[in-house]
Amino acid sequence: MSFDFSRARELMVEQQIRPWDVLDIDVLDTLARVPREEYVPAGLRTLAYADTALPLPHGEAMLKPVLVGRALQALLPAAHESVLEIGTGSGYLTACLGRLAREVVSLERHADIAEAARTRLAMQAVSNATVLTADALAWDEGRAFDAVCVTGAVDEIPPAFLRWLNPGGRMFIVRGRAPAMEAVLLHRDVNGSRSQSLFETELPYLAGAAPVPVFAL
């Protein structure tokens, strides 16, 4: 018997996403339409809509569906806006951002993961997303975006990340140290930046963004 992905997607939205206070109509419509199973590694397709992170090569992982929903609702990219994604992973969140925004640029430091994501996005006809093989902590193309979505945690927010925001732009990011990590929405305005606490969660750190070990004598 074939697996009913459409039904699983519907249940994900109704039983996982909505109960986590993701109520924006455009976000719910995006999650109901983007086929997550097409972005899941081979052998894990039947787990595409499970309430869990799914493994990717190099120890990376797909975000849980509820985190994708909360990130999308926090940023709410508009049809005329540009988005920078830090950490492409499978390309699923990239595709979701692409349904909402005008343009998505996504950075992925692992070349094989980046290429796999490009292939998946092309197969799903996502034409407004560009995946670049780059380390976000070293990337500097002089561009700024209306929204930035960071898919890994940081101990402290790198100053360069804020420079990627246009005036009036916002960033979804998880910061801090386990078990007290905090998802925040940063807003850039004329006075600098301000943060809005969203919820507590825990994510693996971006490479190079983990706390510096402290050795006691």
Side-chain angles (χ1 to χ4, degrees), residues 132-161:
L132 304 178
T133 302
D135 183 342
L137 296 181
W139 188 72
D140 184 9
E141 294 296 319
R143 284 201 60 182
F145 299 82
D146 301 304
V148 175
C149 186
V150 185
T151 66
V154 297
D155 182 33
E156 299 287 344
I157 298 173
F161 285 22

Side-chain angles (χ1 to χ4, degrees), residues 32-209:
R33 292 178 180 273
V34 176
R36 186 175 167 89
E37 72 273 12
E38 299 298 337
Y39 296 89
V40 170
L44 297 176
R45 283 169 59 88
T46 57
L47 297 176
Y49 298 100
D51 184 21
T52 187
L54 294 177
L56 296 172
H58 306 289
E60 306 293 344
M62 293 180 69
L63 295 178
K64 294 172 60 173
V66 291
L67 286 177
V68 172
R70 288 299 293 266
L72 292 173
Q73 180 165 269
L75 290 172
L76 284 182
H80 65 280
E81 291 186 315
S82 61
V83 180
L84 176 66
E85 179 187 32
I86 306 301
T88 310
S90 71
Y92 172 67
L93 178 53
T94 319
C96 292
L97 290 166
R99 277 191 64 89
L100 296 166
R102 172 181 57 83
E103 174 196 17
V104 181
V105 175
S106 186
L107 307 184
E108 172 55 56
R109 71 189 189 96
H110 298 290
D112 55 338
I113 293 181
E115 184 57 33
R118 290 188 198 103
T119 298
R120 295 185 186 110
L121 291 164
M123 291 181 67
Q124 295 302 310
V126 180
S127 60
N128 63 338
T130 302
V131 177
L132 304 178
T133 302
D135 183 342
L137 296 181
W139 188 72
D140 184 9
E141 294 296 319
R143 284 201 60 182
F145 299 82
D146 301 304
V148 175
C149 186
V150 185
T151 66
V154 297
D155 182 33
E156 299 287 344
I157 298 173
F161 285 22
L162 293 172
R163 292 196 294 270
W164 291 330
L165 283 176
N166 283 324
R170 62 270 184 215
M171 175 189 302
F172 175 88
I173 192 167
V174 174
R175 66 183 179 187
R177 303 188 181 190
M181 290 183 178
E182 177 189 35
V184 299
L185 186 66
L186 294 181
H187 301 264
R188 182 182 176 186
D189 54 34
V190 293
N191 297 316
S193 65
R194 54 185 175 84
S195 65
Q196 172 188 350
S197 178
L198 299 174
F199 55 90
E200 291 186 358
T201 188
E202 187 173 344
L203 284 180
Y205 287 105
L206 290 177

